[in-house]
Amino acid sequence: MELQVSELARQEKYKLLIGCIVPRPIAWVTSLGENGKVNAAPFSYFNVASIEPMMVSVAVMRKPGSVPKDTARNIAANGQFVVNMVDVHNVDAVNQTSADYPADVSEVEALGLQTSPSTRLEVPRLTASRIHFECRLHQIVELGSPVTSDLIIGEVVHVHVADELYEAGRIDAAAFSPVSRLAGHTYATLGEMFDRPRPEYKAPLADKS
């Protein structure tokens, strides 16, 4: 099967990407609107961007007509957001916040979600999450012409981790029980885990013949 990207419709590209690039971690992002309301929305185009400085990236697709989503607009305006991590205990609430709420309606208020203060930011954390990355905006990269996506890169300035998930400087993946996105309406848990130690390069021995 050979697929010419130039011949694919937008929806075909979308289905191909989300079906092939799996599983995808989910950033449950909280941000503050101009009206002071807390916005909460999940994004699965999310990953680590840098270790030092510590950064994460979240791509927020724009609405038709190149209209920025509430999350991207809020972050551009006040330069801060929180990534609340998703697990088996909060995934149902996460899914509820994926609905297309009007800009003046807070998903947090509408769904009765509990929040906790952040340490370094005005934006609150979602109590239902057990890992939180407090982020300050580093850069927004506009992708496409006209723009179809806002790639948000944030510097992590503070991290909250539930005690039961953190041991000897590592996250206990089994205790964390993260949830990822697949295609369509499908989510996934970790499933079977296995190790593959990273190999060491060994230069070939010189030929003495």
Side-chain angles (χ1 to χ4, degrees):
M1 177 68 70
E2 302 286 338
L3 300 173
Q4 295 292 336
V5 173
S6 60
E7 297 176 1
L8 297 177
R10 184 188 186 283
Q11 190 67 6
E12 291 175 310
K13 294 175 185 176
Y14 170 73
K15 289 184 178 180
L16 182 64
L17 286 168
I18 67 169
C20 293
I21 303 175
V22 291
R24 299 185 306 279
I26 306 168
W28 196 16
V29 178
T30 44
S31 61
L32 276 179
E34 292 181 357
N35 54 10
K37 291 186 178 295
V38 182
N39 175 275
F43 301 94
S44 66
Y45 301 171
F46 160 61
N47 221 312
V48 175
S50 171
I51 304 301
E52 189 62 59
M54 192 173 178
M55 294 184 176
V56 295
S57 64
V58 182
V60 181
M61 299 299 104
R62 290 201 175 186
K63 298 178 182 180
S66 194
V67 177
K69 288 188 176 177
D70 298 340
T71 297
R73 188 173 60 252
N74 293 346
I75 294 171
N78 60 37
Q80 53 180 265
F81 62 100
V82 178
V83 172
N84 307 271
M85 296 301 292
V86 179
D87 59 37
V88 295
H89 305 291
N90 60 31
V91 67
D92 288 333
V94 171
N95 186 55
Q96 289 298 314
T97 61
S98 68
D100 192 15
Y101 282 79
D104 60 347
V105 175
S106 165
E107 294 86 351
V108 172
E109 293 178 8
L111 297 170
L113 300 176
Q114 298 297 311
T115 62
S116 299
S118 289
T119 300
R120 301 279 302 276
L121 309 178
E122 293 179 52
V123 180
R125 302 174 286 134
L126 293 170
T127 310
S129 179
R130 294 180 295 165
I131 298 177
H132 315 264
F133 294 103
E134 296 185 20
C135 302
R136 291 196 185 279
L137 177 62
H138 172 73
Q139 184 179 5
I140 295 181
V141 181
E142 296 182 341
L143 303 175
S145 181
V147 179
T148 57
S149 174
D150 292 295
L151 177 61
I152 298 168
I153 302 172
E155 181 174 357
V156 179
V157 296
H158 199 84
V159 182
H160 304 260
V161 181
D163 291 346
E164 68 270 18
L165 305 185
Y166 195 71
E167 184 175 353
R170 297 178 182 272
I171 298 295
D172 183 334
F176 177 20
S177 297
V179 167
S180 62
R181 280 290 272 126
L182 301 180
H185 302 299
T186 307
Y187 292 78
T189 53
L190 280 180
E192 179 185 0
M193 292 183 284
F194 56 90
D195 293 341
R196 288 289 186 274
R198 187 170 183 171
E200 218 176 280
Y201 172 74
K202 295 182 180 178
L205 296 174
D207 187 354
K208 297 180 179 180
S209 59

